[in-house]
Amino acid sequence: MGGQVEFGTQEDGTFQYLTFVTKEMIKTMDQYPEILVMDTTYKCNSFGYALFNVLAIDGNGQGIPVLHAFVSSERSDILALCLSFFCRCYDSSKTTTVFVDKDMAKLVAIRSVMPHVSLRLCSFLHASMAVKKALFERKVPAHLLHYTLTHFQQQKVYKSEEVYGEAKEKIKDVSSPSVISYFEDNWWICPQMWAACFSDSQSFHITTINHAESFHQKLKQTLTTKTSLSSCIQHLLSSHEYIQRSR
């Protein structure tokens, strides 16, 4: 099987997405379908399209790009169309876990197209930053902010439900109703997505989307808002060839 590409527009012909996989990407997915990392980067082409990328994790723990999609918007329906195309290119039933940041559009898109996978939130940086920002916005005093973050970290990393429960009670004991409501609505409602003790899927020690972020940082060394779309695509293809040669 060769590479595949799909182009989507609205009824009036307005661009929605351009997504593609190469023959080598499909081969990688056939070899390593279990764990995927998804993230989006920006300001890498002259049209201003966001670049949505999917990476597979190989046997050495290396992230290998397996889908690129230029999208006019990160709306969940557009991302879902890109993921539907992706899932038609390999046996997606073998994918067990997807790591992603806490972006509702991505979460909705993944759930609609791959309802069987376990969704895991990036637990190293994004979760902690999101909680810290929320506590700042609620004007939590510095000493309580540190205390709360410490116990949230315990909930993330410890594999004991008892420790998770104890940390939850300690957070509740010192928190205002608005802070408790924030945790209830955003974190404690979905512990299986971020707390180690509730994980029901094999992750091979992957806990973040750093594979994608590292890939994006390398792209940004070459791609800018002045890069034409064709040059951007060519660079992605060249980058993938380099990754394959270096493995």
Side-chain angles (χ1 to χ4, degrees), residues 6-242:
E6 185 169 286
F7 182 77
T9 63
Q10 298 180 17
E11 292 184 1
D12 63 359
T14 303
F15 173 85
Q16 280 192 311
Y17 66 92
L18 171 65
T19 183
F20 63 92
V21 296
T22 66
K23 178 175 65 176
E24 290 75 19
M25 291 178 182
I26 296 172
K27 182 178 179 181
T28 297
M29 282 307 303
D30 289 338
Q31 291 179 302
Y32 307 105
E34 295 87 0
I35 299 176
L36 300 177
V37 177
M38 301 184 184
D39 196 22
T40 306
T41 191
Y42 311 91
K43 299 182 180 181
C44 60
N45 61 87
S46 57
F47 283 96
Y49 300 145
L51 176 58
F52 174 61
N53 294 306
V54 179
L55 287 78
I57 306 300
D58 70 9
N60 296 317
Q62 182 179 1
I64 310 296
V66 289
L67 176 82
H68 300 303
F70 294 94
V71 295
S72 62
S73 166
E74 285 189 89
R75 290 190 345 229
S76 60
D77 59 329
I78 294 178
L79 295 179
L81 289 169
C82 297
L83 289 176
S84 294
F85 160 79
F86 177 58
C87 288
R88 293 195 297 272
C89 296
Y90 80 107
D91 184 0
S92 61
S93 67
K94 294 182 180 179
T95 298
T96 60
T97 308
V98 174
F99 283 87
V100 68
D101 59 11
K102 201 171 189 292
D103 179 274
M104 287 308 300
K106 290 191 187 77
L107 296 175
V108 170
I110 297 166
R111 276 285 178 238
S112 67
V113 178
M114 309 173 77
H116 63 285
V117 304
S118 293
L119 284 172
R120 299 286 289 173
L121 300 178
C122 179
S123 62
F124 176 69
L125 183 61
H126 290 90
S128 296
M129 288 180 62
V131 170
K132 188 174 183 178
K133 179 181 178 182
L135 297 180
F136 268 125
E137 290 174 347
R138 288 161 178 79
K139 302 185 185 321
V140 174
H143 68 288
L144 290 183
L145 189 150
H146 176 74
Y147 179 89
T148 303
L149 279 176
T150 296
H151 291 292
F152 178 69
Q153 291 282 357
Q154 290 180 354
Q155 289 191 302
K156 285 196 303 177
V157 301
Y158 283 94
K159 295 185 177 180
S160 165
E161 290 190 35
E162 182 179 358
V163 173
Y164 175 92
E166 290 173 352
K168 181 177 180 178
E169 291 305 314
K170 288 178 180 178
I171 292 173
K172 292 173 70 174
D173 285 345
V174 300
S175 297
S176 67
S178 66
V179 170
I180 294 174
S181 178
Y182 165 74
F183 278 104
E184 293 282 7
D185 295 342
N186 291 276
W187 300 100
W188 294 335
I189 194 174
C190 56
Q192 72 281 1
M193 294 175 64
W194 59 275
C197 64
F198 289 100
S199 174
D200 59 358
S201 62
Q202 191 171 19
S203 63
F204 300 103
H205 305 293
I206 305 299
T207 60
T208 77
I209 60 171
N210 283 355
H211 295 84
E213 292 180 338
S214 176
F215 175 67
H216 291 163
Q217 289 174 2
K218 292 176 182 177
L219 288 181
K220 292 298 185 67
Q221 294 175 7
T222 303
L223 305 180
T224 71
T225 55
K226 296 182 179 180
T227 306
S228 68
L229 187 60
S230 60
S231 296
C232 187
I233 293 172
Q234 184 58 54
H235 181 77
L236 290 170
L237 294 174
S238 298
S239 296
H240 191 74
E241 291 176 358
Y242 174 79

